[in-house]
DNA sequence: CACACAATGAGACCAAGTATCAACACCCCG
DNA sequence: CGGGGTGTTGATACTTGGTCTCATTGTGTG
């Protein structure tokens, strides 16, 4: 549930406020990727009085802790995906939004080769994979 | 210069209008990545009467032709980089904005491994590398 | 249990587009 | 060359996603 998010926030030394608990619960209830607008709508539907800004602020906090990550979908929308702090790449189902996390599987070789060829020092990278999850593939 | 952009647009069967020529010239004059706002400012400075919408429309057109590509910078800004239609990944200097293009150097192995592990079919991917170009590295 | 200071929400503001539509201009066709 | 159909333009309004400000509130620490 949302306990994991709350525990991590506590760890990070921020206050565990009412609005934060409520938003964390909304996030935990989602699956796959979601937009800030989704959360704002969820909050509105349940008449939680949480402000728009608070939602963006919590997303920022969670992103800093590596508990969510922002992905730029191919259609240009910005989504957030819940994630483990240590894993780093996401596979996004373009049909249903499901997410799989893949840990590094050979990307380092790619970056060091790119570095060698270009003369750049590489500090970070972003890899996003888009496709169809097993469900959506069989549902054709 | 901008001739290459114009030639490609002509090829694509769109009209070679005054505003398009002017915007293409602005793009050609830039180096590294630039934002739509940069172009809008450039156009304003030279008192070209080109509208905001026209600039966005040309960027879309060029993106369709693979002549520019949109990158999402780590700080959240949206930039465009000029590029060769066939190459597919970009190395972005976080200090000066310089761009290097790297062709596929082993990414396919990564995606097929990710596909195998996750059960997803992978349709596309996006890889962006951020670092420092040789100049900015030595300028410390 | 008080109080410092972190966090909130309302609302204005901003950045990056997109939609609409009447006026315009490219360029093909005669 | 000179219409004229239609692709293109720019003004303007609107949208989406996010940030800033600041007076008010509420947490957690001591
Ligand atoms: Mn992750
Ligand atoms: Mn490119
Ligand atoms: Zn799916
Ligand atoms: Zn540089």
């Amino acid at each position: 549930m949302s306990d994991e998010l709350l525990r991590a926030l506590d760890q990070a030394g921020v206050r565990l406020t009412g609005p934060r608990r409520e938003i964390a619960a909304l996030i935990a209830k989602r699956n796959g990727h979601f937009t800030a607008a989704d959360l704002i709508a969820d909050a509105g539907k349940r008449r939680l009085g949480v402000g728009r800004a608070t939602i963006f602020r919590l997303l920022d906090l969670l992103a800093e802790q590596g508990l969510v990550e922002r992905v730029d979908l191919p259609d240009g929308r910005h989504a957030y995906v819940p994630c483990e702090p240590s894993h780093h790449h996401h596979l996004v189902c373009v049909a249903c939004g499901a997410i799989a996390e893949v840990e590094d599987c050979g990307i380092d070789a790619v970056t060091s080769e790119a570095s060698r060829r270009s003369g750049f020092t590489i500090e970070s990278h972003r890899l996003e994979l888009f496709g169809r999850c097993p469900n959506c593939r069989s549902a054709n």
Side-chain angles (χ1 to χ4, degrees), chain A:
Chain A
M1 304 295 159
S2 59
D3 308 11
E4 195 187 345
L5 294 178
L6 295 175
R7 211 175 321 117
L9 285 176
D10 195 20
Q11 215 69 31
V14 303
R15 293 186 181 171
L16 250 45
T17 66
R20 283 180 180 161
R21 289 168 199 278
E22 282 158 0
I23 300 167
L26 294 179
I27 291 176
K29 209 163 289 147
R30 299 221 140 245
N31 50 350
H33 59 65
F34 56 87
T35 62
D38 289 334
L39 295 182
I40 292 165
D42 288 356
K45 246 177 277 170
R46 323 198 148 205
R47 306 243 186 302
L48 311 175
V50 306
R52 241 167 68 83
T54 304
I55 291 179
F56 282 107
R57 287 190 281 235
L58 184 60
L59 286 171
D60 283 351
L61 261 179
L62 294 174
E64 270 167 35
Q65 306 303 315
L67 299 168
V68 304
E69 198 168 314
R70 233 182 74 169
V71 275
D72 295 286
L73 301 178
D75 65 18
R77 276 153 56 226
H78 292 170
Y80 296 83
V81 313
C83 68
E84 303 299 321
S86 60
H87 292 183
H88 273 107
H89 303 305
H90 296 111
L91 239 148
V92 182
C93 176
V94 294
C96 74
I99 301 287
E101 302 202 352
V102 294
E103 352 185 358
D104 171 58
C105 12
I107 255 284
D108 288 352
V110 176
T111 64
S112 56
E113 174 65 7
S115 172
R116 199 185 58 71
R117 292 195 198 175
S118 64
F120 277 53
T121 311
I122 297 180
E123 294 175 357
S124 67
H125 62 264
R126 186 158 55 208
L127 173 66
E128 284 151 17
L129 303 169
F130 302 99
R132 310 189 136 245
C133 70
N135 278 343
C136 291
R137 184 157 29 108
S138 55
N140 204 358

